[in-house]
Amino acid sequence: MARVRTAYVCTECGGRNSKWQGQCPHCGAWNTLVETVAAAPSTRFAAVAGAAGEVRPLASVVTRTEPRSATGLEEFDRVLGGGLVPGGVVLLGGDPGIGKSTLLLQAMAAIGATRRALYVTGEESPEQIAMRAQRLGLLNAPVELLAEVQLEAILGAIRTRQPEVVVIDSIQTVYTEALESAPGSVAQVRECAAQLTRLAKQSAITVILVGHVTKEGAIAGPRVLEHIVDTVLYFEGDTHSSFRLVRAIKNRFGAANELGVFAMTERGLKGVANPSALFLSQHAEAVPGSCILATMEGSRPLLVEVQALVDPVHGGLARRLAVGLDPQRLSLLLAVLHRHGGVESGAFDVFVNAVGGVRISEPAADLAILAAVYSSIKNSALSDKSLVFGEVGLAGEIRPVQRGQERLREAAKLGFRRAIIPSANRPRHAIDGIEVVPVARISDALEHWRR
Ligand code: TYD
Ligand code: MG
């Protein structure tokens, strides 16, 4: 017979808890938890989809703000949209060695101070985790450790230990006996993640899954995990520099595309509260092939140096290479520069790079890429203390971008004096300290760069 599951729901904040407690762990109210019967799921995925059943008017659904618990790491909370949500499932992906285990151990150590935290390790031995904890100065952190890769054993341990937050490091090492395929295969990863998600929803446990990234940059198991979980975070950054970015790709409980910025130090990851100037390389004077872009990362403006190197082709086909920027977009932009700006680059190899390992996908980078390329072709530096943003259309027009004012204000704060921007982004009131040069077409922009 299916076991009847009970859950306790707080009448104050609506938060769910797997057991009765005098005080609600989410909002701190006393004697507000009431027992409810969580319907036994009729299929494996019922609980993932949420309560099914009667049809009712949308207006009758009572909403509530998700109770959030801060992890204690401010930048991590920022990407999570304010903190962890009970029953929420988070996927943290990233290249090996980028700092996933470090970040989660730090977060769990902070969480463990007030809530029960379970760290399941399938990749490293408890000794290796302890060595990391020692390095982080967290050896006595109140975190429970479990070295296990078999799903049923992990689920059993979660049921008996009743943690509020569980880390699975990594989901690719976990396997269920119910399937014959090898650990790490799509079937295993999907099944294990689905079962862990079901448990998370039933028992209001927060589950954080660590996911490996394939060479192509996707989390192994062709994106299957991204649909199952509530929040997808990716670690970005150049392992050769100390800066690490954690980006929210999807977030059912907050804004997607929010960015957390960290620096990897000798004692773990430290949040960088004001990262806007982080990705500017420090040239003593302006150099050819360099342009400063004001980009938006989630809710924050960020100034990034875009570099280009243009060199005559030495036999064979001209190469186009983009690091941290969209390579296909590069070819398209070069065609626009030729057709609408009269600047030929077919005889050149063109390399572009966003400094500091940051990845920029917004089209607002277009104009900055062309500025850097043009500056490299002419071997002449753009004027110092100036910046650029704007999307470039196929007809040679410069299209407006979102939140132009915020970008300009941040640039002014950091000492930039001149901005070449889409004319539709021209601010209604002048911004102190910065001269705005509005451009409507690529030919207008070229005129300014020629000066
Ligand atoms: P790790 O967290 O093990 O990465 P992942 O789990 O994503 O594979 O990452 C660790 C890298 O960071 C490793 O190369 C060592 C380095 N590191 C530091 O520089 N400082 C530290 O305090 C720690 C714990 C690790
Ligand atoms: Mg790891």
Side-chain angles (χ1 to χ4, degrees), residues 4 31 61 69 80 90 114 119 132 150 180 202 208 225-226 238-239 259 277 291 346 359 369 395 406-407:
V4 178
N31 293 328
V61 181
S69 41
L80 288 167
V90 179
T114 51
Y119 193 112
R132 180 178 292 120
Q150 205 226 341
E180 282 181 7
Q202 282 169 350
I208 306 176
L225 289 180
E226 298 187 2
D238 185 348
T239 33
L259 192 75
C291 175
R359 262 179 236 165
I369 294 172
E406 277 170 64
R407 299 176 203 243

Side-chain angles (χ1 to χ4, degrees), residues 96-102 119 123-124 129 132 169-170 210 212:
I98 196 137
K100 301 181 292 296
S101 305
T102 305
Y119 193 112
E123 292 195 346
E124 294 170 302
I129 305 274
R132 180 178 292 120
D169 189 358
S170 66
V210 173
H212 281 217

Side-chain angles (χ1 to χ4, degrees), residues 95-102 132 135-136 264-268:
D95 290 336
I98 196 137
K100 301 181 292 296
S101 305
T102 305
R132 180 178 292 120
R135 190 166 172 193
L136 298 170
M264 179 64 93
T265 68
E266 266 313 295
R267 285 172 63 99

Side-chain angles (χ1 to χ4, degrees), residues 131-404:
M131 274 164 57
R132 180 178 292 120
Q134 189 171 29
R135 190 166 172 193
L136 298 170
L138 296 172
L139 204 46
N140 296 317
V143 177
E144 300 189 325
L145 264 189
L146 170 68
E148 182 59 70
V149 288
Q150 205 226 341
L151 180 71
E152 288 72 19
I154 294 171
L155 294 175
I158 295 174
R159 287 201 182 95
T160 51
R161 303 300 303 168
Q162 303 241 334
E164 283 180 48
V165 184
V166 180
V167 164
I168 309 285
D169 189 358
S170 66
I171 187 68
Q172 274 89 6
T173 56
V174 179
Y175 74 96
T176 168
E177 306 251 290
L179 294 177
E180 282 181 7
S181 43
S185 62
V186 175
Q188 284 284 3
V189 167
R190 182 168 49 194
E191 179 60 24
C192 293
Q195 292 215 33
L196 285 160
T197 302
R198 191 156 70 104
L199 183 66
K201 303 289 168 200
Q202 282 169 350
S203 321
I205 297 171
T206 305
V207 174
I208 306 176
L209 307 173
V210 173
H212 281 217
V213 168
T214 60
K215 274 197 229 90
E216 293 73 40
I219 292 178
R223 304 221 145 201
V224 284
L225 289 180
E226 298 187 2
H227 296 292
I228 298 174
V229 302
D230 299 307
T231 305
V232 180
L233 308 179
Y234 271 99
F235 245 109
E236 288 175 13
D238 185 348
T239 33
H240 305 296
S241 93
S242 63
F243 294 107
R244 300 284 183 275
L245 310 177
V246 180
R247 192 191 299 273
I249 302 293
K250 156 182 172 179
N251 197 351
R252 286 186 186 146
F253 305 122
N257 221 21
E258 196 53 86
L259 192 75
V261 183
F262 296 90
M264 179 64 93
T265 68
E266 266 313 295
R267 285 172 63 99
L269 290 159
K270 300 260 188 297
V272 179
N274 289 309
S276 53
L278 211 63
F279 301 99
L280 300 177
S281 66
Q282 311 294 331
H283 302 297
E285 56 194 60
V287 293
S290 159
C291 175
I292 307 300
L293 160 72
T295 178
M296 283 307 288
E297 289 295 351
S299 55
R300 280 197 293 210
L302 205 65
L303 289 147
V304 178
E305 180 181 346
V306 174
Q307 297 180 331
L309 179 68
V310 174
D311 199 38
V313 178
H314 302 288
L317 287 173
R319 285 190 294 165
R320 273 90 185 81
L321 191 85
V323 181
L325 298 158
D326 183 351
Q328 278 173 342
R329 198 131 184 113
L330 174 61
S331 309
L332 185 150
L333 290 172
L334 293 176
V336 174
L337 186 64
H338 180 214
R339 187 74 173 71
H340 298 284
V343 179
E344 169 72 78
S345 61
F348 297 107
D349 288 332
V350 179
F351 308 101
V352 294
N353 174 35
V355 167
V358 61
R359 262 179 236 165
I360 299 170
S361 53
E362 66 160 1
D366 292 353
L367 196 54
I369 294 172
L370 287 186
V373 167
Y374 182 72
S375 159
S376 182
I377 290 178
K378 295 289 166 197
N379 198 27
S380 123
L382 299 170
S383 76
D384 211 1
K385 295 283 168 205
S386 74
L387 86 147
V388 172
F389 61 82
E391 181 179 343
V392 175
L394 289 185
E397 81 279 19
I398 310 296
R399 305 159 67 99
V401 302
Q402 289 176 1
R403 305 165 89 161

Side-chain angles (χ1 to χ4, degrees), residues 76-101:
F76 192 37
D77 287 336
R78 168 193 281 276
V79 263
L80 288 167
L84 295 167
V85 176
V89 182
V90 179
L91 175 66
L92 177 64
D95 290 336
I98 196 137
K100 301 181 292 296
S101 305

Side-chain angles (χ1 to χ4, degrees), residues 46-53:
V48 178

